[in-house]
Amino acid sequence: MDLIVATPRGLYCPPGDFHIDPWRPVARAVITHGHSDHARWGSDAYLCQNDGAPILRRRLGDVSIRTLAYGERIDINGVTVSLHPAGHVLGSAQVRVEYGGEVWVASGDYKTEDDGVVAPFEPQRCHVFITESTFGLPIYRWRRQGEIMAEVNGWWLANAGAGRASVVFAYGLGKAQRLLAHLDPANGPIVCHGAIEPMNAIYRGQGVPLPATKRVSDFSGRDAFAQALILAPPSAANSAWVRRFGEYSDAFASGWMQIRGNRRRRGVDQGFALSDHADWPGLIDAIHATGAERVYATHGATGALTRYLREGGLDARMLHTEYGEEEAEGGAEEEAVS
């Protein structure tokens, strides 16, 4: 019996009668993390990891939420369910489902490098593993976070020395806080767009140490930003909002910046290939660490990943979902706040 199947409303566990990251409203939704393509409004009840609850409340409003600690087990209609670190964003979790001696794990989104900000990915032994494959091509191989952040801080310092502001576009949940945690405050003030500050507050509230940040309204005059690094969502690019900083250099932080043409298409001065998803080696290592006999790949380069796994002897299949790429997440919330 398949413990998780794809339905028109989302991934569904028939014996437990619950969905995982459903894309249509359902009675009971188990949520892997708070990005908008995985946590959607309209379900009757939600289950998520403890640290993810404030994010869901921020994004979904006054909804019914039950939370679990990592590794805590509950019984849902005879199915044992537990959540385990995915290393993606605050509160992100893999969903482990056990029933009749069979174990399935749905990964949600994950990365395998420990970013020092959120709980690191923990592979789970299972019979069947449902993996994301956003960057499921061999060309995607991340450099270590320390190298990337040294480049970001060096770029900021060079801009400050030339008397121009540094503007970094990054997704408001996860990437912005990861950058923030590893910026060097000795370089100058750090300014955050109004759409990012609420997520910063949630991270701080859950015990994640982040450096002090300022709002744009704390400054007066364009010259005041000359030493600053400004974090903003991608929706702010090329807007009137950024022109208030006078002379500036801009950059985009995303795994998609691994491809040089993507930086040119974004029209930014600099691209930093920093992703909260596993790269190709990370995906392969994570899949093998589960010991799974069967693998389903969702959203991303599913064809290339499953073909490679089949050539290695695994039973690998594609699984259609309606998850997008939160790396392309803009969101009305980001658009609305300046």
Side-chain angles (χ1 to χ4, degrees), residues 37-316:
D37 57 332
H38 289 260
R40 306 190 194 214
W41 184 85
S43 292
D44 294 338
Y46 294 85
L47 174 70
C48 69
Q49 199 275 337
N50 291 341
D51 291 339
I55 298 170
L56 260 62
R57 291 196 178 93
R58 170 78 191 177
R59 294 212 144 157
L60 304 180
D62 185 18
V63 297
S64 172
I65 301 176
R66 178 178 178 179
T67 64
L68 291 179
Y70 284 129
E72 181 181 358
R73 296 186 172 202
I74 60 168
D75 183 287
I76 303 179
N77 298 322
V79 175
T80 301
V81 177
S82 56
L83 305 176
H84 302 271
H88 180 57
V89 298
L90 185 67
S92 60
Q94 305 168 81
V95 181
R96 182 184 185 275
V97 175
E98 182 174 358
Y99 180 76
E102 187 96 353
V103 177
W104 288 45
V105 172
S107 74
D109 291 336
Y110 65 94
K111 71 173 179 293
T112 53
E113 182 180 18
D114 182 357
D115 63 13
V117 178
V118 302
F121 177 82
E122 292 181 3
Q124 301 298 307
R125 302 290 292 182
C126 57
H127 297 95
V128 180
F129 185 50
I130 301 175
T131 180
E132 67 131 323
S133 58
T134 302
F135 291 102
L137 289 172
I139 57 172
Y140 292 110
R141 296 170 186 269
W142 311 143
R143 294 162 59 206
R144 302 296 295 176
Q145 173 180 276
E147 296 177 31
I148 300 295
M149 288 310 304
E151 284 190 359
V152 174
N153 283 309
W155 170 78
W156 175 16
L157 198 58
N159 287 332
R164 57 176 174 260
S166 302
V167 181
V168 180
F169 300 109
Y171 302 104
L173 167 58
K175 186 67 59 60
Q177 291 73 38
R178 183 181 178 189
L179 283 163
L180 185 53
H182 297 289
L183 289 173
D184 184 355
N187 285 358
I190 302 170
V191 182
C192 282
H193 187 279
I196 290 176
E197 278 296 353
M199 292 301 168
N200 293 346
I202 289 175
Y203 269 61
R204 291 183 177 114
Q206 299 304 106
V208 178
L210 298 176
T213 51
K214 295 180 179 293
R215 298 252 188 178
V216 170
S217 56
D218 294 331
F219 296 80
S220 60
R222 293 184 174 188
D223 293 342
F225 296 98
Q227 308 298 311
L229 184 141
I230 299 106
L231 277 174
S235 56
N238 302 314
S239 70
W241 187 82
V242 295
R243 290 195 285 273
R244 68 186 68 184
F245 304 125
E247 185 182 359
Y248 69 89
S249 181
D250 58 5
F252 194 83
S254 166
W256 300 115
M257 294 298 102
Q258 176 105 3
I259 306 300
R260 190 168 299 175
N262 288 336
R263 180 183 65 78
R264 288 197 297 271
R265 277 189 285 276
R266 283 279 180 179
V268 293
D269 299 324
Q270 186 79 30
F272 297 113
L274 186 72
S275 177
D276 288 328
H277 294 264
D279 61 0
W280 175 260
L283 289 169
I284 301 304
D285 289 348
I287 289 166
H288 286 307
T290 67
E293 301 153 357
R294 193 191 318 163
V295 175
Y296 289 101
T298 71
H299 67 299
T302 55
L305 180 61
T306 54
R307 185 165 54 250
Y308 176 85
L309 295 172
R310 285 195 299 272
E311 289 172 356
L314 275 177
D315 177 2

